[in-house]
Amino acid sequence: MFDPKALYKIGYGLYIITSKEEDKSRARARYNGQIANAVMQVSAQPVIIAVGINKQNLTHQFITSSGHFAISVLEQETPFPLIQRFGFKSGRDIDKLAGVGYGWTAEQVPYITDHSLAYMAATTIGTADAGTHTLFLGEVTEASILKEGVPMTYDYYHRVLRRGVPSTAPTFQFTEEKKGVQSVDKYICTVCGYIYDPEAGDPENNIAPGTPFNELPDDWVCPVCGAGKDMFNKGI
């Protein structure tokens, strides 16, 4: 027996992982960041942090290249557009840091200051292959409290904010299984797993209940991740 719902009982936080890569062609560094939930402290002396990053992500490339990363701990009040920027957009397409507050670690890795309670900087000391992901082990070289508050948890993100996860997240496949069999007139976002239900519509974006998917405006996008209609598949 294998019930994926059992995995929902594992506690997670919500973090922004940032890193850098030296761009030799331009004689400068490039920077990127992403949302991650697989972060944990694994030892105290020295302080070692483990971070799980999908191998497809640009941040994975940057950490592998530089050997340095930073972790920003998001507060519970973090607005979804910030999560959307770092969780559902690719650094290959946009500058993740544009318009966002950030500081610099001693190794010149950016960390996010907007809606962050604390940050930690780490130097990679080892890796472990985890299938779709790499587990980076990093020795913490600096850490600081930025403000007081309640950290965002994965449970709060799903249960209260009712948001989805990107396809590269460790828990994405289980989100899809949780949905079960879908009616043929429902459409699933292949990026984040959001399901458009014609009976419910999308009132927050002026789509009335009862609107079929094929009658949605051409410029309508997924209310969770911003993907276009062409990124939706009919439910089966």
Side-chain angles (χ1 to χ4, degrees):
M1 178 180 179
F2 184 85
D3 185 353
K5 293 181 181 178
L7 299 173
Y8 301 156
K9 304 304 181 183
I10 299 175
Y12 299 95
L14 211 62
Y15 313 90
I16 294 178
I17 311 301
T18 44
S19 190
K20 67 175 182 177
E21 180 181 64
E22 297 298 334
D23 188 341
K24 296 180 180 179
S25 64
R26 300 182 181 181
R28 65 179 178 84
R30 295 190 297 160
Y31 308 99
N32 195 57
Q34 67 162 80
I35 293 290
N37 67 323
V39 176
M40 64 179 293
Q41 181 179 347
V42 296
S43 69
Q45 294 181 348
V47 178
I48 304 297
I49 295 286
V51 177
I53 301 293
N54 192 287
K55 295 174 183 177
Q56 299 179 24
N57 292 357
L58 188 62
T59 303
H60 184 284
Q61 175 183 319
F62 284 15
I63 296 175
T64 301
S65 173
S66 69
H68 300 287
F69 60 90
I71 302 167
S72 301
V73 182
L74 294 178
E75 64 178 344
Q76 186 168 277
E77 293 77 15
T78 301
F80 182 66
L82 183 66
I83 297 173
Q84 184 181 46
R85 182 178 191 82
F86 284 92
F88 296 98
K89 306 293 184 180
S90 172
R92 297 181 177 93
D93 302 322
I94 67 168
D95 178 359
K96 295 283 192 79
L97 298 180
V100 176
Y102 58 90
W104 297 98
T105 70
E107 297 292 343
Q108 291 302 292
V109 172
Y111 61 87
I112 307 305
T113 56
D114 287 352
H115 301 284
S116 294
L117 300 179
Y119 86 91
M120 289 147 274
T123 297
T124 304
I125 61 169
T127 62
D129 190 297
T132 57
H133 288 61
T134 295
L135 191 67
F136 291 96
L137 295 176
E139 181 172 351
V140 176
T141 56
E142 56 185 277
S144 181
I145 298 292
L146 300 176
K147 63 185 293 188
E148 296 298 329
V150 177
M152 172 82 77
T153 66
Y154 213 47
D155 176 67
Y156 182 89
Y157 174 76
H158 282 293
R159 182 173 50 82
V160 179
L161 299 185
R162 301 178 66 84
R163 300 294 187 175
V165 299
S167 59
T168 54
T171 51
F172 179 74
Q173 59 182 315
F174 303 115
T175 300
E176 288 192 310
E177 288 185 33
K178 182 180 179 182
K179 300 299 183 181
V181 177
Q182 302 300 324
S183 170
V184 293
D185 60 354
K186 296 179 182 179
Y187 282 73
I188 303 171
C189 177
T190 59
V191 177
C192 71
Y194 167 81
I195 296 175
Y196 176 75
D197 182 351
E199 292 186 4
D202 181 16
E204 292 184 4
N205 293 295
N206 300 315
I207 303 299
T211 303
F213 184 82
N214 60 8
E215 294 183 12
L216 292 173
D218 291 339
D219 60 353
W220 180 84
V221 297
C222 175
V224 172
C225 69
K229 291 175 61 179
D230 61 329
M231 298 302 293
F232 279 73
N233 289 335
K234 183 180 290 187
I236 55 175

